[in-house]
Amino acid sequence: MINYSNNALNFSYLLLDYYKELNIKESELAVILMIDHLLSQDNEFITVDVLELKMSLTKKEIDEAMTSLYQKKYIEFVLGKKGAETSIRPLMKILYKKFEQSIFSEDELKKNEDSVKLREEVFALLEEIFNRSLSPIEISRADEWIKADVSRDIIINSIKDAKVRNELSINAIDRIIIKKLRSENN
């Protein structure tokens, strides 16, 4: 999934666009929008009582809406640095995913998903072989292989070949990949 910063896409716009599809009632929509508004003002733990002060819905209506949103996994309550926090991150992720699906073809989404899986696999294998976390340069180089559409087999086999040869560096793996690509093209 593509990472979007809080400002990259307008949450309210996406919410209003997709709320019917997500089976969100108008009372729940109003509660979500108010929670978002209060979160933007650095409020962290938003309760029914806090919402009742700001909204024309009754305490019972707000409570029912929040319970429903929680059951649908659109909002969550998490323990943060300063105590309990109300979060709409689960709903944001769902909305961003829906937006992503609307603008990218199924093939593009599949390719992005495959790239993410390959990236995780390659990084895990490199960290295992190097017996340490990867440096930013190593991460960048591995990302270049994936972005260049080097096949999974070539990348994984090149890493394993470097281990067998006891050439445990990103540059050695890069050379092996280049050799394999050249021999594949000849």
Side-chain angles (χ1 to χ4, degrees):
M1 184 167 143
I2 294 175
N3 288 329
Y4 297 102
S5 71
N6 290 341
N7 299 325
L9 288 172
N10 186 301
F11 171 73
S12 300
Y13 174 86
L14 290 177
L15 179 61
L16 291 169
D17 234 27
Y18 292 109
Y19 84 94
K20 182 177 179 184
E21 191 178 322
L22 294 174
N23 196 27
I24 295 173
K25 298 175 188 166
E26 276 76 11
S27 59
E28 296 168 348
L29 177 67
V31 167
I32 294 167
L33 290 170
M34 185 56 72
I35 290 172
D36 184 46
H37 174 70
L38 292 170
L39 288 171
S40 74
Q41 295 178 343
D42 293 328
N43 294 289
E44 292 174 359
F45 187 57
I46 299 158
T47 63
V48 172
D49 294 328
V50 171
L51 291 171
E52 185 184 25
L53 294 172
K54 294 286 222 176
M55 301 180 74
S56 63
L57 294 173
T58 66
K59 189 173 190 168
K60 183 179 183 214
E61 291 170 321
I62 294 169
D63 187 50
E64 287 172 357
M66 285 189 73
T67 301
S68 175
L69 292 168
Y70 180 78
Q71 288 172 340
K72 293 175 188 174
K73 299 187 182 342
Y74 292 156
I75 64 171
E76 65 185 357
F77 301 97
V78 295
L79 200 54
K81 294 175 186 170
K82 299 176 186 173
E85 295 178 5
T86 305
S87 173
I88 55 175
R89 278 192 277 321
L91 178 58
M92 288 178 158
K93 288 179 183 175
I94 291 166
L95 289 171
Y96 294 155
K97 183 74 172 169
K98 287 221 166 273
F99 174 75
E100 194 175 75
Q101 290 169 342
S102 74
I103 62 169
F104 295 115
S105 71
E106 213 169 292
D107 290 341
E108 290 169 321
L109 285 173
K110 178 77 173 124
K111 185 176 182 200
N112 185 40
E113 212 173 277
D114 292 345
S115 292
V116 169
K117 285 179 186 173
L118 177 59
R119 186 177 195 265
E120 289 170 358
E121 182 182 3
V122 167
F123 288 1
L125 184 58
L126 286 169
E127 287 181 347
E128 178 188 324
I129 287 173
F130 292 165
N131 198 24
R132 61 174 170 75
S133 296
L134 300 178
S135 72
I137 291 171
E138 292 166 334
I139 291 170
S140 175
R141 185 71 59 87
D143 269 339
E144 287 173 17
W145 303 330
I146 295 164
K147 287 176 186 168
D149 283 330
V150 176
S151 77
R152 176 197 176 280
D153 290 341
I154 288 178
I155 296 172
I156 300 299
N157 290 334
S158 297
I159 295 170
K160 290 177 180 178
D161 288 352
K163 182 180 181 185
V164 168
R165 295 177 189 175
N166 201 25
E167 295 177 359
L168 301 179
S169 76
I170 205 75
N171 289 333
I173 296 167
D174 200 41
R175 285 191 299 273
I176 295 168
I177 287 174
I178 290 169
K179 267 186 195 172
K180 287 181 187 267
L181 289 172
R182 283 185 184 145
S183 67
E184 196 176 77
N185 291 331
N186 289 335

